[in-house]
Amino acid sequence: MSKAPKKSLEKLLNSGAFAVTAELFEDPSRTPESYLKRAGTLAGSADAVIAGDAAMSSLGAAAWLAGNGHETILRLTCRDRNRIALKEDVRAAAALGVNNVLCLTGPAIELSDSPGTRPVFDLESVTLLAMLKGMDFEAPPPFLGAGVNPFAPPFDYRPHHLAKKVEAGAGFVITHPCFDAPALEEYIKRAGALGLGGKCFIIASAALFSSPQEARRLKESPTGFHMSEAVISRLDEAGDAKLEGRGMCIETINRLRAIEGLSGIHLMAFGQVEQAARIIAETGLR
């Protein structure tokens, strides 16, 4: 195994740099090596990657990648574990060189590949953050983050919900995919008015769709993305949906990076890691 990365996501954000993170979705081969290969494709493009937990646990994937020199973000969900197991996972992650933890409540169990399983939900994201913030670590404590959705009503409440997560311990947040840059800009302004500027780094997600069916499926899922029908229509009417999806993603990134107070971009490429690396390069993010 190679040495751990020299610069963590936390140090990068604190330096004032504009961060780039990316999602590693499930690979059909479902092997640790496939995660490593996909993370390698993004090496030099993304400052940190999030491994999915379909082929293996999120802890296993994050630790495997961290041990091979990649800056990783552990996706930690409350749905499947009680507070004892969550604590154990985070202690193990810190000891294995995982620098960052994204604290999520988690989707409904019906959305998993085992819908008959009984959900746990001993905690939710805010109480999870507070618990981890209060823990003592032998290894350096992880940089805590959370997910936020600025694009769903009630819009006035969303910045206040962010404030609760920041108070509980979130140093960074990653938004749901953005299809409405003005809405995100307003969200960041309202967060600043609450005194959150400088207390939490906001990273906005940009989605890379390869088909209108993919976009429709995600829009209509119970935890679907908030996007207009115009997004799906544009993909549907294009002669080449993949090319159009790529163009839309680039447009979104260029709009987002101009928003004052935004600290980074999170690329959700749904497995298209090669395209993600190209887009990061072409938009000048790297």
Side-chain angles (χ1 to χ4, degrees):
M1 290 186 178
S2 61
K3 294 182 179 180
K6 292 182 179 179
K7 196 162 192 178
S8 70
L9 178 63
E10 182 176 14
K11 290 180 180 177
L12 186 76
L13 288 166
N14 280 321
S15 75
F18 196 80
V20 180
T21 62
E23 200 96 12
L24 294 183
F25 284 84
E26 179 186 351
D27 187 277
S29 64
R30 304 174 73 88
T31 64
E33 289 76 17
S34 71
Y35 276 122
L36 193 58
K37 181 179 179 181
R38 291 152 77 80
T41 301
L42 290 166
S45 299
D47 299 305
V49 294
I50 303 177
D53 53 2
M56 65 169 75
S57 74
S58 187
L59 172 59
W64 172 256
L65 293 172
N68 282 277
H70 295 280
E71 178 77 358
T72 60
I73 302 172
L74 170 65
R75 179 191 283 107
L76 195 67
T77 61
C78 301
R79 184 190 68 186
D80 306 324
R81 298 169 178 83
N82 64 22
R83 66 193 67 196
I84 296 173
L86 290 166
K87 283 183 178 181
E88 291 173 348
D89 279 358
V90 174
R91 287 194 191 282
L96 292 168
V98 178
N99 296 321
N100 316 285
V101 177
L102 185 67
C103 299
L104 304 170
T105 299
I109 203 73
E110 290 78 16
L111 302 180
S112 73
D113 57 2
S114 301
T117 305
R118 182 176 297 175
V120 180
F121 290 118
D122 182 23
L123 303 173
E124 44 74 46
S125 60
V126 175
T127 49
L128 174 59
L129 283 163
M131 181 185 75
L132 299 183
K133 181 182 178 181
M135 287 173 57
D136 293 322
F137 291 88
E138 293 183 8
F143 186 36
L144 301 179
V148 293
N149 185 6
F151 315 110
F155 300 107
D156 291 345
Y157 171 71
R158 294 295 172 179
H160 294 279
H161 193 218
L162 171 61
K164 290 182 179 180
K165 293 187 175 183
V166 173
E167 183 180 1
F172 73 99
V173 293
I174 296 178
T175 76
H176 276 214
C178 178
F179 303 96
D180 188 345
L184 179 61
E185 188 169 17
E186 180 63 23
Y187 174 82
I188 292 175
K189 286 180 180 178
R190 290 185 177 185
L194 292 175
L196 300 180
K199 294 184 179 179
C200 182
F201 299 102
I202 299 176
I203 299 173
S205 293
L208 174 61
F209 292 128
S210 60
S211 70
Q213 292 79 16
E214 183 177 58
R216 172 69 67 187
R217 183 173 64 254
L218 292 168
K219 176 179 171 62
E220 294 180 351
S221 69
T223 56
F225 301 161
H226 286 79
M227 70 178 88
S228 69
E229 284 294 325
V231 173
I232 300 172
S233 296
R234 184 171 166 182
L235 289 165
D236 196 33
E237 294 168 5
D240 186 332
K242 283 190 176 182
L243 185 61
E244 189 68 19
R246 185 176 181 280
M248 292 167 67
C249 184
I250 290 173
E251 288 174 16
T252 298
I253 290 172
N254 288 333
R255 288 175 186 153
L256 292 177
R257 65 189 305 189
I259 296 177
E260 186 177 353
L262 191 68
S263 297
I265 296 291
H266 178 67
L267 195 53
M268 300 185 71
F270 305 104
Q272 302 178 75
V273 290
E274 293 85 3
Q275 282 285 3
R278 292 191 191 102
I279 286 172
I280 291 169
E282 290 180 22
T283 52
L285 291 172
R286 287 290 171 271

